[in-house]
Amino acid sequence: MGWQVWLGIAAIAVALLALAVATAAWTQQARMRRRDHRRAAPQSAEAAPQLAVVVNPSKQGAAGLLVQVRAHCSAHGLPEPLWYETTVDDPGKGPALRALADGADVVIAAGGDGTVRAVAEAMVGVDTPMGVLPVGTGNLLARNLELPLTSVDGALDVILHGRTRAIDVGWLRVAEFADTPRNGDHPNQPDHEPDTEREHIFLVIAGLGFDAAMVATTDADLKKRVGWIAYFVAGLSHLQARRMRAHLQLDDSPPVEARARSIMVGNVGILPGGVTLLPDAVLDDGVLDVAAVDVRGGVLGWAQLTFEIAMQGVGVRNDLPEKLGRIDHTKAKRARIRVPAGEEVQVDGDPLGRAVEIDVHVQPGALLVRAP
């Protein structure tokens, strides 16, 4: 192999080491914050709340969840929890609406990011808060809320003894779909008809380009076996894809043209593994964070991008203009993005198909959630 290949391999190794250090630091900080939250959690003197759980029965670990929730409610003097299961046709919005109609004081989404999105869609604008029991692979909102990811009792303690927080939600509408897939059908192709009127809620990140293509081609069986690492495996097949040419309009500013691998619009910025993609994103600041991710130069560019993301996680930013891998950040309340060639689009890890144009906006403080 030539010296360029060896240099690229060395650069990736250094970048992965930096990412591991950043992840370890983030994990330690999160543990300390959760410990402090537990110490400071006030004991409520109010009447015992009626919990309702909307669960995705297909998720690993969902089968024993009812027993655990019942036991927790019994131990804390709470009423028997209301229980609703999602279906393929109704991934959570309908059950959440039924829970509200049945008098639930807290509606809990128990599942992955798709279940959380669907339940949240029913909870936007109502006075009843939503809780989250992480049972999925990414658990993106739970990570950004600093909820316990592996303890049902820990998550329920936050729901019962935490605080109610009003957070922003994002909405994405595909204004124009592409006629045909660029590379043929993929395993996660949405089975619904293209709808340019429907708005899709997202709580974490919506994306167009590389990230969405990675989500769309992730093997479902591998995802069940190895979790979020399956996304990384799927991404390898898209490293050599062409950079997209996009026209981007933010709020009332004139449109600008950009070359990028991905354009992401986010409400929060922490991804699995403690990776901080949008370091300035805040759940309740009333704006969305927009990131244009670009890579040139093949392996070296991807290595530099990995290093860049790792350094963001520990608060180090590099704004040098000439970089092979870069992320440009800005903020907006509304973004309109057009990619004439058509690109995959996703919301919180759910693929929507290939789009030519999308319209994204924020709805400030629209969702009440239980948080530490």
Side-chain angles (χ1 to χ4, degrees), residues 7-16 19 209-214 231-232 234-244 260-264 277 292-310 323-327:
L7 180 60
I9 293 174
I12 290 178
V14 172
L16 291 176
L19 181 59
F210 172 82
D211 66 299
M214 178 178 64
Y231 292 118
F232 172 77
L236 294 176
S237 64
H238 299 285
L239 294 182
Q240 300 301 320
R242 292 180 299 172
R243 299 158 70 207
M244 64 182 179
R261 300 285 181 174
S262 287
I263 297 179
M264 287 172 276
L277 184 64
V293 180
D294 195 20
V295 171
R296 296 176 290 111
V299 173
L300 286 176
W302 287 106
Q304 187 177 59
L305 178 64
T306 304
F307 185 77
E308 194 90 357
I309 293 174
K323 294 185 290 186
L324 296 176
R326 61 181 300 120
I327 308 178

Side-chain angles (χ1 to χ4, degrees), residues 161-182:
H161 306 301
R163 65 187 176 108
T164 297
R165 181 179 179 184
I167 67 171
D168 306 333
V169 301
W171 294 94
L172 182 147
R173 181 177 64 87
V174 179
E176 182 181 347
F177 282 90
D179 293 333
T180 56
R182 175 184 295 172

Side-chain angles (χ1 to χ4, degrees), residues 20 28-29 45 103 114 116 134 172 176 221 262 270-271 289 326 341-342 367:
Q28 181 63 26
Q29 292 171 0
V116 174
L172 182 147
E176 182 181 347
D221 292 333
S262 287
I270 297 175
L271 303 181
D289 285 59
R326 61 181 300 120
L367 178 68

Side-chain angles (χ1 to χ4, degrees), residues 55-372:
V55 64
N56 181 347
S58 69
K59 289 294 182 180
Q60 185 177 1
L65 196 60
L66 177 57
V67 174
Q68 292 175 278
V69 176
R70 279 176 170 169
H72 193 95
C73 288
S74 177
H76 290 78
L78 303 181
E80 178 83 2
L82 304 176
W83 196 258
Y84 309 84
E85 291 189 351
T86 68
T87 64
V88 174
D89 295 330
D90 191 339
K93 182 177 181 179
L97 290 173
R98 291 196 294 274
L100 290 172
D102 291 340
D105 295 307
V106 182
V107 178
I108 302 172
D113 297 309
T115 304
V116 174
R117 282 185 57 244
V119 171
E121 190 169 355
M123 305 295 293
V124 166
V126 303
D127 294 331
T128 302
M130 181 181 81
V132 178
L133 280 180
V135 193
T137 302
N139 298 314
L140 296 177
L141 181 64
R143 293 174 190 276
N144 284 274
L145 286 172
E146 298 182 4
L147 300 177
L149 300 180
T150 58
S151 170
V152 172
D153 285 334
L156 287 171
D157 281 339
V158 171
I159 291 170
L160 293 174
H161 306 301
R163 65 187 176 108
T164 297
R165 181 179 179 184
I167 67 171
D168 306 333
V169 301
W171 294 94
L172 182 147
R173 181 177 64 87
V174 179
E176 182 181 347
F177 282 90
D179 293 333
T180 56
R182 175 184 295 172
N183 296 316
D185 293 334
H186 55 66
N188 299 325
Q189 180 70 41
D191 56 6
H192 55 73
E193 289 296 322
D195 184 354
T196 57
E197 298 300 321
R198 180 183 174 186
E199 288 192 314
H200 302 268
I201 192 173
F202 66 93
L203 308 175
V204 182
I205 293 178
L208 186 74
F210 172 82
D211 66 299
M214 178 178 64
V215 166
T217 54
T218 297
D219 183 88
D221 292 333
L222 183 63
K223 183 178 172 182
K224 289 180 180 179
R225 293 198 302 269
V226 301
W228 62 268
I229 296 176
Y231 292 118
F232 172 77
V233 174
L236 294 176
S237 64
H238 299 285
L239 294 182
Q240 300 301 320
R242 292 180 299 172
R243 299 158 70 207
M244 64 182 179
R245 187 182 299 276
H247 303 276
L248 177 64
Q249 182 177 13
L250 303 178
D251 294 329
D252 296 326
S253 300
V256 297
E257 186 173 301
R259 294 295 297 273
R261 300 285 181 174
S262 287
I263 297 179
M264 287 172 276
V265 185
N267 194 29
V268 291
I270 297 175
L271 303 181
V275 175
T276 303
L277 184 64
L278 303 174
D280 299 325
V282 181
L283 270 168
D284 52 6
D285 59 357
V287 294
L288 296 170
D289 285 59
V290 183
V293 180
D294 195 20
V295 171
R296 296 176 290 111
V299 173
L300 286 176
W302 287 106
Q304 187 177 59
L305 178 64
T306 304
F307 185 77
E308 194 90 357
I309 293 174
M311 289 299 95
Q312 285 186 165
V314 293
V316 178
R317 307 285 281 274
N318 177 4
D319 295 324
L320 295 176
E322 295 299 327
K323 294 185 290 186
L324 296 176
R326 61 181 300 120
I327 308 178
D328 294 318
H329 299 277
T330 189
K331 293 178 179 288
K333 294 183 178 181
R334 190 175 207 102
R336 196 170 187 91
I337 306 168
R338 183 171 183 83
V339 283
E343 293 287 344
E344 297 288 346
V345 61
Q346 61 85 20
V347 285
D348 289 355
D350 285 340
L352 301 180
R354 290 184 66 246
V356 170
E357 186 172 311
I358 62 173
D359 187 22
V360 189
H361 72 275
V362 66
Q363 186 177 359
L367 178 68
L368 299 180
V369 296
R370 298 293 288 168

